[in-house]
Amino acid sequence: MRTIYWFRMSSLRLHDHPALLAAAEGSSCLYPVFCLERRIATPYGENRRRFLLESLRDLDAGLRSLNSRLIVLDGAPEVALRAALADWSVDRLAYQLDLASAESKRSAAAVDALAEAAGVQVLARGGHTMCDLDALLRRAGGSPTTSYAPFVKHFEAEVRAAPIVARPAPSRLPPVGGEATAADDAARAVPAPADVGLPADADAAVLVRGGESAALARLDEHLQRRGGAWAAEMEKPATSPMALEPFGAGTRSTTVLSPYLAFGCLSPRLFYTRLAAEAYGRHPKHAMPPVSLHGQLLWREFFHTCAHGTPNYERMVGNPICRQVPWGDDKELLAAWAEGRTGYPWIDAAMTQLRREGWIHHLARHAVACFLTRGDLWQSWEKGAAVFEELLLDVDPALNAGNWMWLSASCFFYQYFRCYSPVAFPKKYDKDGAYVRRWLPALANFPAKYIYEPWKAPIADQKAAGCIIGKDYPKPIVAHDVASKANMAKMAEAYAAHKEGGGGGASKASATPTPKRAAPAPAKKTKQAKLK
Ligand code: FAD
């Protein structure tokens, strides 16, 4: 049997990879391929392209240690694999399922059709999630639940029926056929940074490296922190969105394993089972879902199940679980938010970190997403999700769309009257504004008293800090108190229309204008949104 193994953007690892193990079994020849459109600019941001190349290099090194190698084919899967199926006269094509997005399902369906037309057998197995998502959907009665508590019950029942097991990496792989490795060997190697439009110094200030080896090392590091006690006790709301070194072992941040889970460099089952054995098993007084680390992996599984079972999940229109809200459409507001120039230092610092490093803490994501949508700017969650898709390292369409629906109170979370204040919220974590000073150098010398509301500083203080508001740093783009109140009223209208319309379909709410560039009012304490 001659088999092509298709590594996808979400399966770049050797450990716990049932589809790869099944592909190796009974194959005399195995062609491990990855399809990359290297000559055209990829839609991913720089951080993500660099992470991808590092992951491919690491995967290639791992395969070489098993007497194999990675063959990088040029082009989209449905194009590149058509030629490979014919050139290598294979009998079988294998890959890991990825049900997180309409695009990953479309791409797999196109590849399946190619194989079928060529008379090639297809072998697809799960592994991107902990459970079989169809089995979880069946436990929910066929369509996904949008509440966490019942989902956990379905998950636990499923795990009792089919326990979570993480399998080791293969100890050897069948050889690669000669026709794939001969004359054009170099052309099929992992490309250089310039081939995917990366600058030569793309590696310079990188804090999170791609690849399975880096993923496993980071997992070890977390599980070894205080003999497993850190991971056992970790409760998400107690972590800080403003840890200055989110990637170090001693910080108050979260694990930063998300890029590895998204790219499939780390198996969620390995993470789950090792956590159970090495953290919870040794520290019986451990944290519990929804706030524990296991709870975080359950949130991941929850959103994957929702994405798999919901038509048009990544859009508002035609999405049966999403409230129809008449969002505004203002390119200027969107650009100011995306480029970190809203005049609200906490929001701008978080968006700057996101652009620079490709990762921000969950609560920073909460704050910027709330600000863009129902909080302040009244722009569509889909536009915010698209910006995240460009900037995030850990892009996962199921998690991205799901969390954006949550934060915009379009689904999952409905207390739209609970809103993050861009001034009061960050003060709880970082009174002196060290995080803002780090990411927004213009404000580095601002007095702590005004760090989250610099427009309020007397002009003498602005001069002394070397930063004049309106010249060196923007004035606030909207007045938070005015905008958030007006937006709550618009949300109330959208919710009422939703109720009137029987809970689905298009909204009857009218699009009211967004109050913008109004004079900022003094910040008042607003109720904070509930954390997960
Ligand atoms: P940890 O707290 O250490 O959690 C471990 C793992 O659990 C994470 O790596 C992740 O896989 C999963 N997890 C944690 N929180 C969530 C959550 N709320 N929902 C689902 N799974 C979760 N996460 C992504 O991986 N990709 C995205 O594209 C993405 N987009 C988001 C968009 C918005 C608007 C928001 C509010 C959140 C988004 N998240 C996304 C979820 C969450 O913020 C990140 O998974 C988390 O911050 C990653 O950091 P960590 O690995 O240190 O998380």
Side-chain angles (χ1 to χ4, degrees):
M1 177 88 80
R2 298 161 64 81
T3 307
I4 290 181
Y5 190 76
W6 174 32
F7 281 99
R8 308 175 71 186
M9 276 286 276
S10 52
S11 59
L12 302 180
R13 65 168 182 273
L14 296 173
H15 71 270
D16 190 34
H17 203 141
L20 177 64
L21 291 173
E25 216 171 276
S27 289
S28 55
C29 235
L30 186 78
Y31 300 82
V33 305
F34 182 81
C35 304
L36 180 72
E37 294 179 80
R38 60 179 107 185
R39 268 182 290 279
I40 60 166
T42 80
Y44 319 126
E46 230 175 65
N47 274 316
R48 198 147 166 248
R49 274 177 278 157
R50 177 197 48 75
F51 192 95
L52 171 64
L53 283 199
E54 286 166 359
S55 302
L56 293 178
R57 264 185 236 134
D58 189 59
L59 180 61
D60 184 44
L63 286 165
R64 283 177 194 273
S65 74
L66 302 174
N67 293 320
S68 183
R69 60 159 289 198
L70 186 65
I71 303 163
V72 181
L73 300 176
D74 194 6
E78 55 270 41
V79 177
L81 289 173
R82 182 194 299 274
L85 287 173
D87 293 351
W88 302 335
S89 37
V90 294
D91 314 289
R92 190 164 62 171
L93 173 78
Y95 62 85
Q96 179 174 287
L97 289 168
D98 175 354
L99 308 173
S101 71
E103 173 49 29
S104 57
K105 287 181 186 177
R106 186 209 57 77
S107 163
V111 165
D112 288 355
L114 271 185
E116 197 186 322
V120 168
Q121 181 193 332
V122 173
L123 186 160
R125 294 268 196 284
H128 192 40
T129 49
M130 295 185 282
C131 297
D132 173 352
L133 297 185
D134 287 312
L136 287 176
L137 282 178
R138 278 194 297 278
R139 289 192 184 273
S143 52
T145 169
T146 54
S147 304
Y148 187 77
F151 172 79
V152 172
K153 289 205 169 77
H154 303 152
F155 176 85
E156 284 169 350
E158 183 55 26
V159 170
R160 275 193 297 276
I164 297 176
V165 179
R167 302 195 202 176
S171 52
R172 57 186 303 241
L173 285 174
V176 181
E179 45 311 32
T181 56
D184 54 356
D185 200 45
R188 285 171 170 166
V190 176
D195 289 343
V196 292
L198 285 173
D201 64 350
D203 275 5
V206 166
L207 290 168
V208 55
R209 297 265 165 212
E212 179 178 10
S213 310
L216 295 176
R218 191 175 292 276
L219 179 63
D220 282 346
E221 192 186 297
H222 285 310
L223 291 173
Q224 283 158 15
R225 284 169 78 177
R226 295 181 22 234
W230 180 83
E233 290 162 9
M234 193 274 215
E235 291 196 344
K236 186 84 154 233
T239 60
S240 169
M242 294 180 188
L244 290 184
E245 298 301 334
F247 306 100
T251 74
R252 286 180 56 221
S253 192
T254 49
T255 63
V256 196
L257 285 168
S258 52
Y260 301 110
L261 288 161
F263 277 85
C265 300
L266 175 63
S267 148
R269 292 188 293 222
L270 185 73
F271 190 177
Y272 189 90
T273 49
R274 283 195 59 190
L275 198 51
E278 295 168 45
Y280 300 143
R282 289 181 193 158
H283 303 275
K285 276 174 108 180
H286 55 76
M288 294 295 286
V291 293
S292 63
L293 264 179
H294 260 175
Q296 303 315 301
L297 288 171
L298 287 175
W299 280 115
R300 181 178 183 275
E301 200 83 354
F302 168 80
F303 285 120
H304 273 258
T305 311
C306 279
H308 180 44
T310 307
N312 302 309
Y313 176 81
E314 291 159 65
R315 304 208 305 260
M316 177 178 84
V317 174
N319 177 343
I321 63 170
C322 181
R323 303 246 155 145
Q324 306 296 303
V325 177
W327 300 111
D329 181 15
D330 186 323
K331 290 190 175 56
E332 216 184 299
L333 290 178
L334 180 69
W337 171 82
E339 291 160 20
R341 42 183 183 78
T342 65
Y344 284 96
W346 156 231
I347 301 299
D348 294 342
M351 291 305 290
T352 305
Q353 186 193 3
L354 174 60
R355 191 166 287 275
R356 212 71 68 69
E357 296 190 332
W359 185 91
I360 46 176
H361 185 277
H362 184 57
L363 293 180
R365 299 181 202 212
H366 268 225
V368 298
C370 181
F371 189 88
L372 179 71
T373 56
R374 67 187 167 88
D376 294 77
L377 302 187
W378 196 249
Q379 299 301 295
S380 154
W381 64 265
E382 289 177 69
K383 300 224 171 90
V387 171
F388 266 32
E389 193 151 313
E390 183 203 333
L391 300 180
L392 273 178
L393 261 182
D394 60 28
V395 178
D396 177 324
L399 274 48
N400 199 27
N403 277 284
W404 272 97
M405 281 191 261
W406 180 299
L407 264 301
S408 61
S410 300
C411 185
F412 309 113
F413 172 82
Y414 303 106
Q415 290 167 296
Y416 60 82
F417 41 85
R418 287 178 171 258
C419 181
Y420 285 101
S421 157
V423 174
F425 179 74
K427 277 187 190 164
K428 285 202 320 192
Y429 292 90
D430 182 6
K431 252 197 162 15
D432 293 334
Y435 177 84
V436 163
R437 293 174 207 284
R438 165 156 180 190
W439 292 108
L440 304 177
L443 295 173
N445 299 317
F446 236 77
K449 185 176 171 195
Y450 301 112
I451 195 73
Y452 296 113
E453 312 168 90
W455 64 90
K456 285 188 174 172
I459 191 71
D461 287 9
Q462 297 185 27
K463 281 187 181 153
C467 177
I468 306 298
I469 300 308
K471 176 171 159 270
D472 304 309
Y473 180 72
K475 289 184 177 160
I477 196 162
V478 291
H480 170 70
D481 280 10
V482 177
S484 59
K485 270 202 198 96
N487 291 344
M488 281 177 206
K490 287 193 262 183
M491 272 316 249
E493 247 186 84
Y495 269 46
H498 175 83
K499 216 170 164 187
E500 240 178 78
S507 167
K508 290 183 193 151
S510 62
T512 36
T514 310
K516 56 178 192 175
R517 291 170 208 93
K524 260 198 266 157
K525 257 192 156 178
T526 39
K527 279 189 174 175
Q528 306 297 341
K530 210 168 124 198
L531 309 180
K532 60 176 182 288

